[in-house]
C-alpha cells in the first residue's frame, strides 16, 4: 500500500537549485536509505515531507493513514522537564508505557527522573527515538539518527527498526547502519531522485555498472558514426554508390549517444606528511578526568606510539569526550599526568567546533590563519581543492556555508596546521558518506597519530589500528580488534529489566495484537477486492487484444500496463498482510 507519493518537488535557495523535479513513492513496510552528497537536499526534502518547509513547486501526496514521525538533527527540549514528564506529555501515554519503550533504548529509571537537558547528546537522541516509538507513526523520517549514539544503542535502534512494521526514510552517512536496516535506496543527485530496490552497496554497484554501460554504448555509437561518415565521404560522389550513401546518411542521423552527466567532484585527500620516528606519541599516568563535582574516570595509564590510530570506544556517558577534552587541554585533569612526546604538535577537532567559526571570515582567510608557517600557497590551494573548495568558493564568507561545508573547512584548516597528532571528537557527524570514507582512507595513509571518537562503524573499522575503551570509571587500551569488539559488545547486551511494568505491558501487547489483527483483516478484504477488480480489467484488455491482434492502441496499452502494475503491487501487499497475520497467529499460539 502506497503511503506517500512525491511528485515534481522543486526547491531553490537564491540561485542554488537544491531539488529539481524530485519524484518517488514510499510504500508501507519499506525501509529506505536516503543518500547523497552534502548539500544535495536530503534534510530539505525531509522537512518538506514533514510539513516543516514549503516546496517551490510540486506536491507531497499523503494517503489515508500516513501519520509521520520526524526525527530532526537538532531538537530542543524544554528547561527543567524530566524525561518521564516529557515523554508522557508528548505521547499522551501512561508512565509504564513510556518506561517500557524507553528501556528499548537503554534509558533506565534514573534517567527518566532527570531533566532532559541534563543528559548527554547521546541520551537526548535516545529520548527522541523513544518518543517516536511511542507515537508509532506509519512513516518514520530519521535524519542522522546514529549521531552521538554509542554502539550498544545503535544495536538497539537497528533491532527496533528491523521489527518496525511500517515505513522508514532514513538519512545516514554510516554505510554499515544503512546496510543493516534499509532494503531500498533513494539517492539525491543534481536535484533529481533515483529510487533503487536494493541496499546501498547493491545500488553503488548498479550505479557503477550503469555508468560503464552508458560509456560503452556511447563509444560504440561513436565508432559506428565514424564508420558511416567515412563511407559517405568516400562514395557520396560516385553514382553507383549514391543510393547506399543516402541510406548511410539516414542511419547516421538516427545515431544518438546517451547523455552522461559529468562526474561530481570527488574528495581525494592528500594530507601533508609528517616525520615519522619510532617512539611514543602520548603517555598518561594515573590520570583522573572529570569535573569539580564528579570524577568520570580515574587511574588511567596507557601509552600510544607514533603512527597509531586509536579509537576511543565505550557507552554514552562513560567519558570518551571528557578524556579527549582533557588530553587537548580544554579541561584540566583532576589528578595524574599526561605527556606528549617532545616537539610534537597536536590539533583538536571538537564536537561543536563548527559553531566557533567566525562567519565573517572568508574560506580563504580562515585557511590562511589556520596554516602552518611552512605551508606555501600552492599547498593551501591544493588541500582546499581536495576538500572540494574550488576557486570561486574561496571568497565565500563562512556564514553562508552548509554544515557539511563547515566541517570540511575545519578539517582542512586543521591539517594545514601540519600537526603530528590529531584529537578528533566525532569528526564525521556532518560529512556525507563519500567524504567520511575518503577521510578515513587518507588518514590510514598518513604517518601521524590519531586519537578519535566516532560512532560511525564504517569510519572506525577503516581507520582504527587500536582501541581504547572507557568503561565503569576506568580507561585503557583494549587488545581486541574492532570487529571482535563489535561482536563481543552485541553478545554482552542483555534485555532491560521490565519487572515493574511487565504484566501490564503483556496485557497491553495482547490488546495491541488483537487490534492489529482486526485492522489487517479489514485491509485484506480491501486488497482482495482490488485484486478482483483489476484482474478482471486486465483480462478484458487481453481479450480485446486477442480478438484483434493487428490493431495497436496506445491508450489500451497504457491501461494494460497500469492494470498490471497495480496488480503486481497489490499482490505484494496481499502477501505482506498474510505473512503478518500468520506471524500474529503463531505468536498467539506460543503465548
Amino acid at each position: 500500500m502506497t503511503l506517500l507519493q512525491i511528485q515534481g518537488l522543486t526547491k531553490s535557495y537564491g540561485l542554488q537549485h537544491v531539488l529539481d523535479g524530485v519524484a518517488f513513492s514510499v510504500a508501507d513496510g519499506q525501509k529506505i536509505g536516503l543518500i547523497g552528497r552534502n548539500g544535495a537536499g536530503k534534510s530539505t526534502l525531509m522537512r518538506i515531507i514533514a510539513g516543516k518547509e514549503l516546496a517551490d513547486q510540486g506536491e507531497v501526496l499523503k494517503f489515508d493513514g500516513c501519520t509521520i514521525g520526524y526525527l530532526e538533527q537538532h531538537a530542543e527540549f524544554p528547561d527543567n522537564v524530566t524525561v518521564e514528564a516529557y515523554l508522557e506529555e508528548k505521547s499522551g501515554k501512561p508512565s509504564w508505557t513510556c518506561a517500557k519503550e524507553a528501556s528499548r533504548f537503554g534509558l533506565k529509571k534514573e534517567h527518566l527522573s532527570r531533566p532532559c537537558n541534563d543528559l548527554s547528546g547521546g541520551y537526548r537522541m535516545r529520548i527522541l527515538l523513544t518518543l517516536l516509538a511511542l507515537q508509532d507513526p506509519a512513516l518514520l523520517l530519521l535524519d542522522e539518527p546514529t549521531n552521538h549514539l554509542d554502539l550498544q544503542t545503535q544495536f538497539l535502534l537497528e533491532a527496533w527498526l528491523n521489527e518496525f512494521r511500517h515505513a522508514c526514510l532514513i538519512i545516514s552517512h554510516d554505510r554499515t547502519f544503512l546496510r543493516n536496516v534499509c532494503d531500498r535506496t533513494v539517492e539525491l543527485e543534481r536535484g533529481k531522485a533515483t529510487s533503487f530496490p536494493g541496499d546501498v552497496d547493491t545500488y553503488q554497484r548498479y550505479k557503477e555498472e550503469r555508468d560503464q554501460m552508458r560509456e560503452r554504448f556511447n563509444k560504440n555509437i561513436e565508432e559506428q558514426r565514424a564508420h558511416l561518415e567515412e563511407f559517405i565521404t568516400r562514395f557520396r560522389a560516385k553514382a553507383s554508390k549514391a543510393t547506399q550513401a543516402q541510406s548511410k546518411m539516414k542511419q547516421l542521423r538516427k545515431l544518438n549517444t546517451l547523455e552522461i552527466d559529468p562526474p561530481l567532484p570527488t574528495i581525494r585527500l592528500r594530507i601533508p606528511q609528517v616525520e615519522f620516528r619510532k617512539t611514543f606519541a602520548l603517555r598518561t599516568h594515573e590520570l583522573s578526568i572529570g569535573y569539580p563535582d564528579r570524577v568520570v574516570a580515574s587511574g588511567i595509564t596507557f601509552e600510544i606510539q607514533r603512527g597509531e590510530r586509536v579509537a576511543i570506544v565505550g557507552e554514552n556517558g562513560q567519558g570518551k569526550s571528557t578524556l579527549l577534552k582533557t588530553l587537548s587541554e580544554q579541561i584540566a585533569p583532576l589528578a595524574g599526568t599526561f605527556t606528549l612526546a617532545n616537539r610534537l604538535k597536536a590539533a583538536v577537532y571538537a564536537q561543536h567546533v563548527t559553531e566557533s567559526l567566525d562567519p565573517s571570515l572568508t574560506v580563504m582567510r580562515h585557511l590562511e590563519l589556520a596554516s602552518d608557517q611552512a605551508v606555501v600557497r600552492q599547498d593551501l590551494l591544493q588541500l582546499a581543492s581536495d576538500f572540494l573548495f574550488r576557486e570561486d568558493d574561496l571568497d565565500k564568507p563562512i556564514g553562508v556555508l552548509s554544515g557539511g561545508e563547515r566541517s570540511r573547512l575545519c578539517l582542512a584548516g586543521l591539517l594545514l596546521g601540519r600537526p603530528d597528532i590529531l584529537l578528533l571528537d566525532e569528526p564525521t557527524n556532518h560529512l556525507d558518506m563519500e567524504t567520511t570514507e575518503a577521510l578515513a582512507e587518507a588518514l590510514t595513509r598518513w604517518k601521524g597519530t590519531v586519537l578519535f571518537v566516532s560512532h560511525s562503524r564504517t569510519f572506525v573499522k577503516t581507520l582504527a589500528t587500536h582501541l581504547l575503551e572507557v568503561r565503569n570509571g576506568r580507561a585503557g587500551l583494549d587488545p581486541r580488534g574492532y570487529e571482535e569488539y563489535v561482536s563481543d559488545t552485541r553478545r554482552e547486551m542483555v534485555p532491560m529489566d521490565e519487572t515493574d511494568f511487565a504484566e501490564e505491558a503483556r496485557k497491553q501487547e495482547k490488546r495491541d495484537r488483537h487490534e492489529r489483527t482486526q485492522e489487517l483483516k479489514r485491509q485484506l478484504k480491501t486488497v482482495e477486492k482490488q485484486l478482483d477488480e483489476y484482474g478482471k480489467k486486465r483480462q478484458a484488455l487481453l481479450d480485446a487484444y486477442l480478438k484483434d491482434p493487428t490493431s495497436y492502441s496506445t491508450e489500451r496499452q497504457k491501461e494494460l500496463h497500469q492494470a498490471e502494475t497495480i496488480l503486481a503491487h497489490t499482490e505484494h501487499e496481499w502477501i505482506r498482510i498474510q505473512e503478518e497475520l500468520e506471524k500474529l497467529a503463531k505468536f498467539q499460539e506460543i503465548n
Side-chain angles (χ1 to χ4, degrees):
M1 180 177 67
T2 301
L3 289 174
L4 182 120
Q5 195 162 30
I6 297 166
Q7 297 183 341
L9 282 190
T10 66
K11 182 68 178 180
S12 299
Y13 297 101
L15 298 177
Q16 183 183 8
H17 302 291
V18 180
L19 305 177
D20 182 16
V22 168
F24 65 94
S25 61
V26 180
D28 194 23
Q30 289 182 340
K31 306 292 194 303
I32 303 173
L34 182 59
I35 65 172
R37 300 287 185 89
N38 284 136
K42 302 183 297 296
S43 295
T44 299
L45 177 59
M46 271 204 177
R47 288 196 296 271
I48 291 172
I49 295 172
K52 304 284 186 181
E53 192 166 338
L54 294 176
D56 297 334
Q57 293 180 10
E59 57 184 337
V60 177
L61 300 177
K62 299 174 187 175
F63 297 95
D64 290 343
C66 183
T67 54
I68 290 178
Y70 176 40
L71 177 73
E72 299 182 73
Q73 281 192 27
H74 308 289
E76 295 184 358
F77 295 93
D79 292 331
N80 301 319
V81 175
T82 65
V83 174
E84 184 176 34
Y86 177 80
L87 292 174
E88 286 185 46
E89 179 187 350
K90 292 292 184 180
S91 69
K93 301 289 177 65
S95 59
W96 69 266
T97 304
C98 294
K100 175 178 177 295
E101 290 299 335
S103 70
R104 285 177 179 264
F105 301 105
L107 288 167
K108 303 177 183 178
K109 288 182 180 178
E110 57 264 32
H111 299 125
L112 298 178
S113 61
R114 292 177 60 184
C116 299
N117 286 325
D118 281 4
L119 299 178
S120 68
Y123 276 100
R124 278 181 275 181
M125 180 64 78
R126 299 182 196 202
I127 298 169
L128 296 172
L129 292 168
T130 300
L131 180 59
L132 287 177
L134 289 165
Q135 293 170 339
D136 193 31
L139 173 60
L140 277 175
L141 304 177
L142 305 179
D143 195 348
E144 291 292 354
T146 61
N147 276 2
H148 310 298
L149 289 188
D150 58 32
L151 187 60
Q152 292 83 347
T153 312
Q154 288 188 42
F155 289 153
L156 293 171
L157 175 59
E158 285 180 5
W160 176 61
L161 289 173
N162 286 322
E163 292 170 4
F164 187 68
R165 61 179 182 266
H166 296 309
C168 305
L169 186 61
I170 303 170
I171 298 172
S172 177
H173 297 142
D174 187 349
R175 187 184 296 271
T176 303
F177 179 75
L178 289 176
R179 185 189 302 125
N180 292 346
V181 172
C182 298
D183 52 19
R184 295 186 68 85
T185 304
V186 171
E187 182 181 36
L188 288 183
E189 185 174 288
R190 295 183 172 92
K192 307 291 186 183
T194 301
S195 183
F196 180 79
D199 66 23
V200 62
D201 291 339
T202 309
Y203 171 69
Q204 295 291 1
R205 289 194 296 272
Y206 154 78
K207 188 178 178 182
E208 289 173 8
E209 291 169 1
R210 180 199 64 189
D211 292 345
Q212 290 170 6
M213 182 194 70
R214 287 177 173 176
E215 288 173 2
R216 287 195 300 269
F217 178 86
N218 283 356
K219 183 178 179 182
N220 185 43
I221 291 293
E222 292 297 342
E223 289 174 354
Q224 291 182 52
R225 182 176 286 163
H227 177 74
L228 290 171
E229 286 174 346
E230 181 185 2
F231 184 94
I232 293 166
T233 301
R234 288 179 61 190
F235 299 110
R236 183 188 304 175
K238 291 188 177 182
S240 60
K241 296 286 186 178
T243 302
Q244 287 179 277
Q246 289 295 324
S247 175
K248 298 294 185 185
M249 288 176 70
K250 290 180 181 178
Q251 291 180 39
L252 183 62
R253 285 194 290 269
K254 292 178 180 179
L255 289 180
N256 294 306
T257 56
L258 295 172
E259 184 178 346
I260 300 177
D261 290 320
L264 290 173
T266 302
I267 280 195
R268 299 183 184 278
L269 293 181
R270 287 156 286 192
I271 301 175
Q273 282 294 357
V274 295
E275 180 188 359
F276 177 77
R277 287 185 297 157
K278 195 169 182 180
T279 180
F280 85 96
L282 174 67
R283 179 183 291 155
T284 70
H285 179 70
E286 293 297 321
L287 183 67
S288 291
I289 61 173
Y291 305 91
D293 58 337
R294 64 188 176 97
V295 176
V296 173
S298 60
I300 303 171
T301 299
F302 62 82
E303 184 172 287
I304 295 174
Q305 301 302 310
R306 292 185 68 171
E308 292 181 343
R309 303 183 298 275
V310 183
I312 305 176
V313 297
E315 293 186 47
N316 286 141
Q318 291 291 322
K320 301 188 296 295
S321 292
T322 303
L323 176 58
L324 266 185
K325 287 177 181 177
T326 304
L327 297 176
S328 61
E329 300 183 333
Q330 295 177 64
I331 58 176
L334 301 179
T337 61
F338 67 90
T339 307
L340 288 180
N342 286 339
R343 298 190 300 278
L344 291 191
K345 181 179 178 182
V348 182
Y349 185 100
Q351 271 193 34
H352 305 292
V353 66
T354 58
E355 297 172 10
S356 63
L357 293 173
D358 184 344
S360 65
L361 288 180
T362 64
V363 169
M364 185 66 178
R365 186 56 182 154
H366 172 82
L367 295 177
E368 288 173 343
L369 292 173
S371 297
D372 183 80
Q373 290 182 353
V375 173
V376 297
R377 182 177 178 82
Q378 184 57 40
D379 290 340
L380 186 154
L381 294 174
Q382 181 61 63
L383 196 64
S385 176
D386 286 350
F387 275 94
L388 303 185
F389 291 107
R390 301 293 181 249
E391 188 174 348
D392 56 349
D393 295 321
L394 298 177
D395 291 329
K396 285 183 180 178
I398 292 173
V400 305
L401 301 182
S402 68
E405 288 172 326
R406 292 186 184 207
S407 293
R408 295 204 309 269
L409 180 63
C410 286
L411 287 167
L414 213 65
L415 297 173
L416 285 169
R418 303 292 295 270
D420 303 283
I421 301 177
L422 289 173
L423 305 175
L424 309 176
D425 195 356
E426 291 290 357
T428 67
N429 268 358
H430 300 290
L431 299 180
D432 57 39
M433 189 182 300
E434 290 78 8
T435 306
T436 295
E437 294 174 4
L439 177 62
E441 292 289 346
L443 288 173
T444 62
R445 298 189 296 270
W446 187 55
K447 294 180 181 179
T449 307
V450 187
L451 184 61
F452 68 101
V453 174
S454 176
H455 293 132
S456 168
R457 276 171 281 175
T458 304
F459 186 77
V460 178
K461 181 180 176 181
T462 303
L463 181 58
T465 58
H466 297 76
L467 303 181
L468 194 158
E469 186 177 24
V470 184
R471 183 173 184 176
N472 298 328
R474 310 291 290 182
L477 292 170
D478 191 317
R480 293 174 291 180
Y482 184 64
E483 289 189 356
E484 184 182 358
Y485 171 78
V486 170
S487 178
D488 289 347
T489 301
R490 190 187 294 274
R491 189 165 48 249
E492 290 170 5
M493 292 179 64
V494 295
M496 300 297 296
D497 182 12
E498 300 182 5
T499 54
D500 291 342
F501 44 80
E503 184 59 33
E504 183 61 34
R506 277 193 291 271
K507 290 179 182 177
Q508 184 60 44
E509 285 176 358
K510 187 175 180 180
R511 291 193 290 269
D512 290 344
R513 285 197 302 274
H514 175 74
E515 290 177 6
R516 180 61 180 167
T517 300
Q518 297 307 308
E519 179 188 346
L520 287 171
K521 287 179 177 178
R522 289 191 294 271
Q523 289 181 15
L524 194 62
K525 286 182 180 180
T526 302
V527 168
E528 288 174 342
K529 183 178 178 181
Q530 194 174 29
L531 280 172
D532 182 62
E533 176 187 345
Y534 279 92
K536 290 177 179 177
K537 185 174 182 179
R538 178 180 64 179
Q539 192 58 49
L541 290 165
L542 290 172
D543 290 343
Y545 176 77
L546 290 171
K547 286 179 182 178
D548 187 9
T550 60
S551 175
Y552 180 80
S553 168
T554 303
E555 187 62 33
R556 186 171 64 190
Q557 194 67 22
K558 184 177 179 182
E559 288 180 11
L560 179 60
H561 176 72
Q562 183 184 44
E564 289 178 335
T565 301
I566 293 173
L567 273 173
H569 176 74
T570 309
E571 286 168 357
H572 176 79
E573 184 66 9
W574 186 88
I575 292 170
R576 186 193 66 77
I577 294 171
Q578 287 285 15
E579 288 177 348
E580 189 173 348
L581 281 170
E582 288 173 9
K583 286 180 183 178
L584 288 168
K586 188 178 292 185
F587 190 88
Q588 185 68 30
E589 290 173 8
I590 295 172
N591 292 274

